[in-house]
Amino acid sequence: MIAYRPNSGAPTTMTARRALITGITGQDGSYLAELLLSKGYDVHGLVRPASTISTSRIAHLIDGPEANANLHLHYGDLSDGARIAQLMLSIEPDEVYNLGAQSHVRVSFDQPIYSVMVGAVGAMALLDAVRQLSSSKDVRYYQASSSEMFGKVHETPQRETTPFHPRSPYSCAKVFAHYQTVNYREAYNLFACSGILFNHESPRRGENFVTRKITRALARIRYGLQDKLFLGNLTSQRDWGYAKDYVEAMWMMLQQETPDDYVIATGECHSIADFLDVAGERAGLDWRRYVEIDPRFFRPAEVDLLLGDPSKARQTIGWQPSTSFEELVQIMVDSDLALAERECQGQAMVRRHAA
């Protein structure tokens, strides 16, 4: 647990733009916080008041040589509409980025009500708080939509006009939040955008997500810390990009003259087996010797193929990914190899002290 600075909501300066990020402790939230701080923003982040909450992804922005006084964290939960409205009126942000969610698709089948409360009702509460604040100032809102909304896809590749067919509680909640963003934009003339982001990964991805599960396990196997890697469906195909590239698209959407919705993707598709091939080669392992299929990791309703068409984002806001699939996997493997090496060194030190 890291001690961090709660804040009353007062901006550090009168001239800096202010941003509120829900989900700031997550993968995307941490990269977005870094990006906005580098641009001189005062960044306010919503942190769930849970004893298990981790701020590890933004620890370098809180303490140490990279600590930034323009970062302010606030306790709150998207399911608490009154608290959301209170924070909105206190902070008075210029930009709001709603990245908060129970974002693990498989877990949403086990916790459907909570997933919907945060992903759908929470987004509604935030949008309505933005509506109230917009009567006194210009506020721009970003909604983190997901390629999982396409689910049982109606066309390939998927674009902004492709019909949604969600196949999980998580994606159903995201569809609700997406359409409410459109509704508030049209009904109240809010500057509200949705980014329909396809899969995007990084070394900060949670270890319960398949990509990070793979790179973490192969690195540990390489160092003799683990024997097997248990996975589900290896034929599922996804459009994978680098999270650090994708948060730039979020910011770019809110700098446009008019609000709109955009698919953010690479336009390339790879299977989980492809991911294993690149990761195994980088780790110096034949993954087939270590991977076993476990039915527990299959979804009740599988999404077989997601492939995005990012041409609208490229043509309208000028965004395109700068990191290839192979580079992304290599970045993740290298990070986890370094982590496994430190883990080995830690275990050796413990053994020496115990001897």
Side-chain angles (χ1 to χ4, degrees):
M1 180 72 69
I2 297 173
Y4 55 87
R5 303 179 301 275
N7 188 271
S8 64
T12 302
T13 69
M14 295 304 292
T15 56
R17 291 182 65 79
R18 274 165 278 163
L20 172 62
I21 304 173
T22 70
I24 194 171
T25 60
Q27 170 189 255
D28 292 5
S30 65
Y31 283 122
L32 180 60
E34 288 176 346
L35 176 67
L36 296 181
L37 289 168
S38 74
K39 294 180 179 296
Y41 280 66
D42 280 333
V43 176
H44 296 255
L46 186 68
V47 178
R48 288 187 295 114
S51 59
T52 57
I53 195 67
S54 171
T55 56
S56 61
R57 293 185 181 94
I58 54 172
H60 60 294
L61 301 176
I62 298 169
D63 293 310
E66 296 183 63
N68 195 310
N70 292 333
L71 174 66
H72 317 280
L73 303 181
H74 309 263
Y75 283 123
D77 194 294
L78 279 171
S79 62
D80 184 350
R83 174 60 172 162
I84 295 300
Q86 177 193 46
L87 281 174
M88 191 70 66
L89 295 175
S90 173
I91 298 168
E92 294 190 349
D94 300 291
E95 297 173 4
V96 177
Y97 295 86
N98 183 26
L99 312 184
Q102 188 301 104
S103 58
H104 195 285
V105 177
R106 180 62 187 83
V107 171
S108 76
F109 284 99
D110 301 323
Q111 296 182 309
I113 296 174
Y114 176 74
S115 299
V116 170
M117 283 296 296
V118 174
V121 180
M124 184 79 168
L126 198 58
L127 275 164
D128 207 59
V130 169
R131 177 189 64 80
Q132 295 178 55
L133 181 60
S134 67
S135 64
S136 59
K137 67 170 296 181
D138 176 46
V139 189
R140 298 191 169 201
Y141 176 85
Y142 171 83
Q143 171 61 34
S145 291
S146 169
S147 60
E148 288 285 336
M149 300 188 306
F150 296 119
K152 190 175 182 180
V153 298
H154 291 221
E155 63 177 350
T156 299
Q158 294 88 54
R159 49 185 62 88
E160 292 80 6
T161 54
T162 302
F164 298 137
H165 192 143
R167 286 170 66 80
S168 67
Y170 165 80
S171 55
C172 287
K174 284 293 187 181
V175 169
F176 178 92
H178 180 88
Y179 278 129
Q180 286 297 349
T181 302
V182 174
N183 182 38
Y184 269 66
R185 181 170 68 218
E186 295 176 351
Y188 301 111
N189 199 31
L190 292 186
F191 194 107
C193 300
S194 287
I196 308 173
L197 271 59
F198 280 65
N199 293 64
H200 48 290
E201 316 297 323
S202 77
R204 299 181 189 177
R205 175 59 92 184
E207 293 180 23
N208 56 339
F209 287 80
V210 67
T211 51
R212 182 72 198 291
K213 182 179 179 180
I214 289 170
T215 60
R216 181 81 170 103
L218 291 180
R220 297 187 84 248
I221 290 169
R222 180 74 176 80
Y223 277 89
L225 298 169
Q226 187 170 327
D227 297 322
K228 292 289 183 181
L229 169 58
F230 296 94
L231 295 172
N233 183 7
L234 302 188
T235 63
S236 293
Q237 299 181 69
R238 294 292 185 269
D239 184 327
W240 275 301
Y242 187 23
K244 200 169 184 178
D245 291 341
Y246 283 38
V247 299
E248 293 183 2
M250 300 176 188
W251 177 78
M252 293 171 74
M253 287 180 209
L254 297 196
Q255 313 314 308
Q256 304 305 305
E257 291 186 6
T258 56
D260 208 342
D261 306 321
Y262 300 91
V263 162
I264 304 299
T266 69
E268 296 181 7
C269 200
H270 300 275
S271 69
I272 294 174
D274 293 337
F275 194 100
L276 282 161
D277 285 338
V278 179
E281 181 178 358
R282 190 68 170 185
L285 297 171
D286 178 2
W287 62 265
R288 293 169 183 81
R289 294 176 54 192
Y290 306 99
V291 170
E292 292 188 9
I293 303 302
D294 189 330
R296 292 178 303 165
F297 297 116
F298 284 83
R299 297 182 188 179
E302 186 59 73
V303 175
D304 297 316
L305 187 152
L306 293 173
L307 173 63
D309 177 2
S311 57
K312 180 180 175 181
R314 183 173 59 251
Q315 295 164 7
T316 305
I317 67 174
W319 178 86
Q320 58 184 5
S322 61
T323 308
S324 71
F325 171 73
E326 290 77 13
E327 290 169 336
L328 165 65
V329 180
Q330 291 167 2
I331 289 169
M332 294 179 67
V333 171
D334 289 350
S335 175
D336 278 326
L337 284 170
L339 180 59
E341 183 178 13
R342 292 194 298 271
E343 191 176 352
C344 271
Q345 292 170 348
Q347 290 185 5
M349 187 177 299
V350 170
R351 287 193 297 268
R352 284 196 299 269
H353 284 298

